[in-house]
Amino acid sequence: MSAVVIVGAQWGDEGKGKVIDFLAQQADMVVRHQGGNNAGHTVVVGEEEFRLHLIPSGILYGDKWCVIGAGVVIDPRVLLEEIDYLGRRGIASDHLRIASQAHLIMPYHARLDALSEDRLGAHKLGTTLRGIGPAYMDKAARIGLRVGELMHPATLATRLQRVLEEKNRLLARAYDVEGFAYDEVLETYLGYGEQLRPYLANTALLINQAIDRGDRVLFEGAQGTMLDIDHGTYPFVTSSHPVAGGACIGAGVGPTKISQVYGVVKAYTSRVGDGPFPTELRNALGSDIRDRGHEYGTTTGRPRRIGWLDAVALRHAARVNGFTGIAVTRLDVLDMLEEVKIAVAYRYHGERIDEFPDHAEGLDDVEPEYETLPGWQTPIGAVRKYADLPVAARHYLERISTLIGVPMVLVSVGRERANTIPLQPLF
Ligand code: IMP
């Protein structure tokens, strides 16, 4: 049995796409289980760069089953565009399967996301404006529409009518904007349904069967632990469960079936969107790292906020995910620094805090306590063996692993598949 969950250990954008792409080489099936097209993976294959938001990046290999599970919220327009984009670049999506229970992102979800952010003004969450929150709200309120319903026009028509009436009333009365025309939405979504029909499947069954027959199944997490709706920096979080347990819920597999949980840890920290960020570097060094690391959102193009590595937050991540290993990415971005820092504790009103607080409110005021290590000041992109990394780089990596209490299983030193140093078999 070999089922590996990959999750982001920080605030997303840890370089999961790269690690997942690397592991997907050995996988038979790659599964997305939460989030939606708020995610964005950039995968570099040779000279080519692929940007994916919904379809598991395993699709680039051609022979892997790629599954979008029930816990994902799907904007069918975006999904169809992605299938089309891959097709134009010579990549077939015939190994793609989609859960009929996955909820649909409807046009009113994106509209309400934008209106709500606008109204929050200075208190906005900084969402990706893709309608993710409103779609999960409807799911929890049991007024969501699911992909499978697109195959049943009569049911869809009745449910859509009821929901749309309510949404249009909300748009008109709460926000004073025009609503959506029922006929148009129905026709558009039925059209999407026809195009998605070949991909629909009982995905929980497929995934469990694959695990049971000994296939290698990879669960591709989106976003990151600190954006988890329960275990992240609420309310500055996304609306799903990026933590490892989210894979079980969103894909429909029992926790006993998961063999490994790897946390992807970027060698520094970034955050896109609002909310607390204790180790943020609001200075020239932060801008330098942003530029060296091309830290601009894959989905929204927003500049990411940059900071030092935060071992306090990472210890929390290791705990709530149950990491069995960490993959450290983007180490090369720090190549030129004279020294690197790691937050090992926080200070709050003069008191030392060793563990991540269970409420985000105080986080704005904490002062990180840093440990400073020497930089390696040499390019490491061409290194292929751990032993060939500069001593200072190895020292930094080993310190991270010790501070979090989790073994390191892989190091990434560049954007391409080849710039990867695996330290042990990963499946
Ligand atoms: P939402 O997921 O669009 O509702 O956005 C909620 C928060 O999660 C915002 O701070 C977003 O910037 C952040 N977020 C959502 N998806 C990602 C991602 O894939 N990477 C990094 N941040 C994300």
Side-chain angles (χ1 to χ4, degrees):
M1 191 169 85
S2 204
V4 170
V5 178
I6 303 283
V7 300
Q10 294 147 316
W11 275 276
D13 309 313
E14 296 92 351
K16 292 182 294 295
K18 156 84 194 278
V19 175
I20 288 159
D21 175 67
F22 185 79
L23 260 90
Q25 294 176 77
Q26 305 159 37
D28 300 295
M29 180 181 271
V30 187
V31 182
R32 268 277 318 255
H33 45 84
Q34 46 74 224
N37 60 309
N38 48 349
H41 285 338
T42 306
V43 181
V44 180
V45 187
E47 299 288 291
E48 290 203 78
E49 183 177 294
F50 293 88
R51 280 169 185 243
L52 296 172
H53 297 284
L54 268 171
I55 300 182
S57 36
I59 202 84
L60 302 177
Y61 286 96
D63 58 342
K64 320 283 180 196
W65 286 106
C66 287
V67 178
I68 299 180
V72 176
V73 286
I74 296 180
D75 185 329
R77 183 184 58 79
V78 174
L79 177 57
L80 288 163
E81 268 173 22
E82 210 157 271
I83 293 172
D84 196 48
Y85 158 83
L86 287 170
R88 285 198 310 274
R89 299 187 60 178
I91 293 167
S93 294
D94 48 354
H95 276 61
L96 176 67
R97 291 295 176 268
I98 302 167
S100 30
Q101 303 101 315
H103 277 248
L104 291 164
I105 296 186
M106 303 298 291
Y108 43 81
H109 290 139
R111 175 82 63 85
L112 286 165
D113 200 351
L115 288 165
S116 152
E117 281 286 271
D118 206 38
R119 185 152 293 174
L120 284 169
H123 302 287
K124 71 177 180 4
L125 304 177
T127 75
T128 59
L129 305 178
R130 299 298 189 266
I132 306 295
Y136 279 113
M137 277 164 73
D138 282 1
K139 171 175 171 170
R142 286 143 304 169
I143 53 167
L145 301 166
R146 309 203 293 180
V147 180
E149 280 174 86
L150 298 177
M151 308 303 131
H152 302 282
T155 330
L156 180 73
T158 319
R159 293 201 62 233
L160 176 67
Q161 189 162 34
R162 239 181 309 138
V163 177
L164 194 59
E165 254 175 43
E166 189 65 25
K167 298 294 175 189
N168 282 346
R169 205 170 313 139
L170 176 67
L171 288 166
R173 304 237 176 114
Y175 293 104
D176 202 17
V177 298
E178 226 178 284
F180 292 87
Y182 166 73
D183 293 340
E184 235 170 75
V185 177
L186 181 63
E187 194 186 328
T188 307
Y189 272 69
L190 285 174
Y192 292 150
E194 276 318 302
Q195 296 176 71
L196 290 177
R197 189 184 290 278
Y199 303 104
L200 283 206
N202 181 345
T203 54
L205 179 65
L206 290 183
I207 299 164
N208 279 282
Q209 282 173 335
I211 296 175
D212 292 345
R213 70 174 170 258
D215 283 2
R216 292 170 164 187
V217 179
L218 182 63
F219 293 90
E220 163 174 344
Q223 289 83 47
T225 301
M226 308 309 284
L227 292 171
D228 185 274
I229 191 161
D230 285 324
H231 302 287
T233 48
Y234 192 88
F236 298 97
V237 293
T238 190
S239 303
S240 66
H241 288 291
V243 296
C248 295
I249 296 169
V253 300
T256 47
K257 299 234 164 139
I258 305 297
S259 35
Q260 300 288 346
V261 177
Y262 299 138
V264 182
V265 175
K266 183 152 63 180
Y268 49 96
T269 315
S270 73
R271 164 161 216 175
V272 60
D274 297 75
F277 184 175
T279 61
E280 184 166 12
L281 286 164
R282 293 193 189 92
N283 56 17
L285 178 59
S287 308
D288 277 0
I289 297 176
R290 179 182 308 116
D291 289 340
R292 274 186 58 80
H294 311 287
E295 292 285 1
Y296 295 88
T298 316
T299 301
T300 57
R302 290 180 289 178
R304 295 178 186 144
R305 299 158 64 195
I306 303 293
W308 291 121
L309 195 81
D310 185 342
V312 185
L314 286 171
R315 273 198 296 274
H316 165 72
R319 209 159 31 233
V320 297
N321 286 292
F323 291 153
T324 57
I326 53 168
V328 180
T329 61
R330 312 203 116 213
L331 189 63
D332 55 303
V333 173
L334 306 182
D335 278 355
M336 292 310 153
L337 299 184
E338 268 173 49
E339 52 184 35
V340 282
K341 294 190 184 199
I342 306 176
V344 292
Y346 299 152
R347 279 213 170 263
Y348 185 64
H349 298 321
E351 196 187 320
R352 186 182 154 113
I353 302 175
D354 289 301
E355 297 303 345
F356 200 75
D358 55 0
H359 52 88
E361 287 76 19
L363 272 183
D364 280 330
D365 303 323
V366 299
E367 264 310 304
E369 259 190 34
Y370 288 112
E371 199 171 285
T372 303
L373 290 88
W376 41 100
Q377 295 188 277
T378 175
I380 56 170
V383 175
R384 296 291 173 268
K385 279 202 226 117
Y386 187 75
D388 294 340
L389 282 171
V391 176
R394 275 185 280 148
H395 186 203
Y396 182 58
L397 291 169
E398 282 149 25
R399 192 66 192 128
I400 298 171
S401 173
T402 305
L403 283 166
I404 310 175
V406 180
M408 201 168 25
V409 295
L410 179 147
V411 181
S412 167
V413 292
R415 299 179 74 207
E416 297 189 20
R417 276 180 188 165
N419 305 120
T420 314
I421 308 172
L423 304 179
Q424 61 173 65
L426 296 163
F427 265 101

